[in-house]
Amino acid sequence: MTKDELVAKLHDIEWEDFEVKAAKSELPKNIWESVSAFSNTSGGWIVLGVKQSGKTFEIQGVDNIEKLEQDFLGTLRSEKFNERLTVTSKRYDIDGKKLLAFYMQEVDLKPVYFGSPINTFIRMGSGDQRATEGEIRAMFRNQSFGKKTEETIPDTSIEMLNLNTLKSYRYALSQTQNLVNLREVDDAEFCEQVNITRNGLLTYAGLLMFGKAPYVLRYVPTFCVDYIEIPGPTIQQAEVRYTYRIPEQDNIWEAVQIILRRFRTLVDAPIHIKDDGFATTDESQYKVLREALANMVMHCDHFDSLRSCIRVYTDHIEFMNGGAFPLPVKDILGKIYSKLRNPTIAKLFRFVGIAENAGYGMNKLASWETLTGTRPTIESDRTIATVSFPLKSAIQRKTENGDVPVNGAKNGAKNGARNGAKTTPRQKAILSLMANNPEITLDEIAKEIGVGTTTLDREIAKMTHLVQRIGSKKGGYWEIINK
């Protein structure tokens, strides 16, 4: 920092990388909080000899600059902090007054604290704040970023995997051109080759992806991939808590397969007629959501008590993840990086084409704006990452596109209301599925909304003013009534 840069900062309020202390003749006690905060965040300058009064700075200078410098550097060389810290010191003379500044670099191995972990601080805006217990735990876990799920688990074996899940994955892999040389090998050899097992022991990645539920929860009790559909723009505005929630699954692969099927009902998939007369379906929006799901489980801190969850509201879909992105979002978008929290899980998704190659996933998410005209938001702090996409309901999309006369559903609902009936969130979910796929079967609807066929029959019996069945049960289709 040059003298001119220092003067410029002193004419502004404190910046997130800039902290002043009066320190006339002694080091202030709270200086070590700033050392911890800058080391744990993004680095910054600590300037001694400046007093802050409200939003203005007064240059007072220091009396014994040599003593202050030696006291500060000597403390850092002692065992006060748990890590050896790199510091740059500079002296300034402004209007005959001496200032002393130290630049603290951000460290790789966080947390940095003095005395005990409770004395861990982080930089928030222009101030230092004591880190929460959750933030401290996340910092400790991040020391093994990209390593924890690569470790093997003692006393485990391939018998702890759900072999039907593994079979499903290998079938998906066979539909690609990847790992062709492993198609004919047995499960034990396959698992060794892709790091599901190593020397016969399961890796955490392999267990999380394909394990049987009792073993997954034994070794990773915090495991969960949650998915909830909420009939409102917010939880508070929803008539009921949710219309669908994914049942707890054995492992990541089972959960992902169910969630991907739900995604297909959420977004447009327009049909394009090619020059040769054949039609193709544009699944670009679906692929963005698929990439977001893959990114969530690839970057998730599966050992955090904070559950990863996808919440589908009426106007947006939100991916909330335990564990921050490895870099600030601004440093990820538009650049290629391959730092992953769970490398083997990432590779397993790439092998079957569910995720992009390393470094391109975030840009895929950003393409949502080009596809829909609405901008996603991507946020990440020390313990949680959230990605949100503006979303239209299936009924709204069909109405706008003119593909299905869904406006009748609204008119029918009004007619039903006049007769004392009210369209429930579950009925709206059923209508959405029928509008999106008129040939959908009762069994498929029951599975999608998570109810039995008997319950579904009762619901449809109440919806005669909204929908009718045309043709037979096997060969017919659903028609939304347009009155």
Side-chain angles (χ1 to χ4, degrees):
M1 180 170 59
T2 66
K3 178 178 177 179
D4 290 340
E5 289 171 337
L6 172 59
V7 172
K9 285 180 179 289
L10 293 176
H11 284 87
D12 203 342
I13 62 174
E14 278 186 292
W15 295 13
E16 62 181 12
D17 62 345
F18 184 72
E19 175 78 21
V20 300
K21 310 283 185 184
K24 187 69 173 176
S25 57
E26 298 288 340
L27 293 175
K29 292 182 179 180
N30 65 357
I31 193 172
W32 311 120
E33 297 177 4
S34 297
V35 170
S36 171
F38 284 135
S39 300
N40 287 322
T41 314
S42 300
W45 287 93
I46 301 172
V47 181
L48 305 183
V50 179
K51 180 180 179 181
Q52 182 180 4
S53 300
K55 294 185 177 181
T56 62
F57 296 125
E58 177 187 351
I59 299 176
Q60 295 181 328
V62 296
D63 291 338
N64 192 338
I65 196 167
E66 288 80 9
K67 178 180 182 299
L68 289 177
E69 185 174 34
Q70 290 304 312
D71 287 349
F72 185 86
L73 297 177
T75 300
L76 293 189
R77 283 193 290 268
S78 70
E79 296 182 356
K80 185 178 184 67
F81 282 87
N82 62 311
E83 297 287 341
R84 285 297 180 92
L85 304 176
T86 301
V87 59
T88 301
S89 60
K90 295 196 70 172
R91 300 182 183 187
Y92 302 92
D93 190 317
I94 299 178
D95 298 330
K97 297 178 180 178
K98 296 179 180 180
L99 303 182
L100 180 61
F102 302 100
Y103 183 77
M104 304 304 307
Q105 295 184 6
E106 179 185 3
V107 303
D108 292 327
L109 292 178
K110 304 178 180 70
V112 169
Y113 55 85
F114 52 94
S116 70
I118 195 174
N119 293 320
T120 299
F121 288 80
I122 56 177
R123 192 73 176 171
M124 299 290 287
S126 60
D128 304 326
Q129 292 189 10
R130 190 180 298 273
T132 65
E133 183 179 349
E135 288 170 331
I136 295 170
R137 286 201 308 267
M139 290 183 200
F140 276 117
R141 285 196 302 273
N142 284 343
Q143 291 186 18
S144 60
F145 198 101
K147 299 176 183 177
K148 181 61 178 178
T149 51
E150 305 305 292
E151 296 176 2
T152 56
I153 311 172
D155 302 320
T156 58
S157 68
I158 192 174
E159 282 74 23
M160 295 179 178
L161 299 182
N162 184 326
L163 295 184
N164 287 328
T165 302
L166 184 61
K167 181 179 178 180
S168 168
Y169 177 82
R170 295 192 67 177
Y171 174 78
L173 181 62
S174 71
Q175 305 305 300
T176 74
Q177 296 303 311
N178 296 324
L179 304 183
V180 175
N181 60 311
L182 298 182
R183 289 185 181 178
E184 303 302 324
V185 303
D186 61 23
D187 286 342
E189 177 64 17
F190 178 83
C191 289
E192 285 287 325
Q193 291 295 323
V194 297
N195 205 40
I196 295 171
T197 61
R198 193 159 62 246
N199 298 323
L201 299 177
L202 290 175
T203 62
Y204 280 102
L207 179 70
L208 286 165
M209 279 292 289
F210 306 115
K212 295 176 183 176
Y215 298 113
V216 173
L217 295 177
R218 177 190 298 179
Y219 294 106
V220 191
T222 52
F223 168 72
C224 179
V225 180
D226 206 0
Y227 174 96
I228 306 174
E229 293 176 2
I230 301 167
T234 66
I235 294 176
Q236 292 75 19
Q237 292 175 274
E239 295 180 5
V240 295
R241 289 180 62 191
Y242 56 84
T243 52
Y244 174 82
R245 186 169 194 168
I246 186 174
E248 290 195 12
Q249 300 301 303
D250 276 16
N251 49 56
I252 291 174
W253 182 253
E254 294 290 345
V256 164
Q257 298 313 296
I258 294 176
I259 294 170
L260 289 179
R261 289 196 292 269
R262 306 294 296 188
F263 281 173
R264 289 191 178 278
T265 69
L266 301 178
V267 292
D268 286 325
I271 296 175
H272 299 300
I273 306 299
K274 298 188 295 184
D275 293 339
D276 58 10
F278 288 92
T280 61
T281 301
D282 183 356
E283 295 190 330
S284 298
Q285 294 181 32
Y286 164 75
K287 290 178 179 177
V288 172
L289 296 185
R290 186 180 68 182
E291 183 71 32
L293 173 60
N295 268 268
M296 187 179 84
V297 295
M298 286 157 45
H299 289 292
C300 176
D301 182 355
H302 293 285
F303 301 90
D304 189 1
S305 57
L306 181 65
R307 288 187 161 199
S308 294
C309 183
I310 301 169
R311 293 189 177 97
V312 180
Y313 298 91
T314 52
D315 60 355
H316 71 285
I317 179 170
E318 178 182 279
F319 296 78
M320 188 194 72
N321 209 19
F325 289 127
L327 298 170
V329 173
K330 63 181 178 62
D331 294 334
I332 295 175
L333 291 173
K335 300 177 183 179
I336 295 177
Y337 78 97
S338 57
K339 187 176 183 181
L340 295 166
R341 190 184 296 274
N342 307 299
T344 292
I345 293 175
K347 287 192 296 184
L348 290 168
F349 276 112
R350 292 192 193 112
F351 289 153
V352 293
I354 290 181
E356 293 277 354
N357 289 329
Y360 293 94
M362 292 298 290
N363 291 328
K364 184 89 169 183
L365 305 189
S367 71
W368 186 260
E369 184 172 6
T370 302
L371 294 170
T372 68
T374 59
R375 179 175 296 180
T377 59
I378 304 174
E379 300 174 341
S380 177
D381 61 22
R382 292 166 188 82
T383 59
I384 188 171
T386 305
V387 180
S388 298
F389 299 91
L391 195 64
K392 296 179 181 178
S393 69
I395 290 180
Q396 183 181 0
R397 295 197 315 275
K398 294 294 183 180
T399 301
E400 292 180 354
N401 294 340
D403 296 335
V404 178
V406 184
N407 285 334
K410 294 183 179 180
N411 295 331
K414 292 179 181 177
N415 293 337
R418 282 195 287 270
N419 294 328
K422 183 178 180 181
T423 307
T424 66
R426 179 182 288 168
Q427 291 170 356
K428 292 176 183 177
I430 294 170
L431 281 175
S432 294
L433 293 169
M434 292 174 172
N436 196 52
N437 178 14
E439 297 179 359
I440 192 170
T441 67
L442 289 174
D443 286 342
E444 290 171 336
I445 295 174
K447 185 175 181 180
E448 288 290 333
I449 66 174
V451 300
T453 54
T454 302
T455 301
L456 179 60
D457 287 339
R458 287 199 299 267
E459 290 287 2
I460 293 178
K462 302 174 186 176
M463 299 168 60
T464 55
H465 59 292
L466 299 175
V467 65
Q468 61 183 350
R469 181 72 180 179
I470 305 299
S472 66
K473 287 186 177 181
K474 290 186 177 181
Y477 60 93
W478 301 101
E479 183 179 86
I480 307 297
I481 297 174
N482 187 9
K483 294 182 179 181

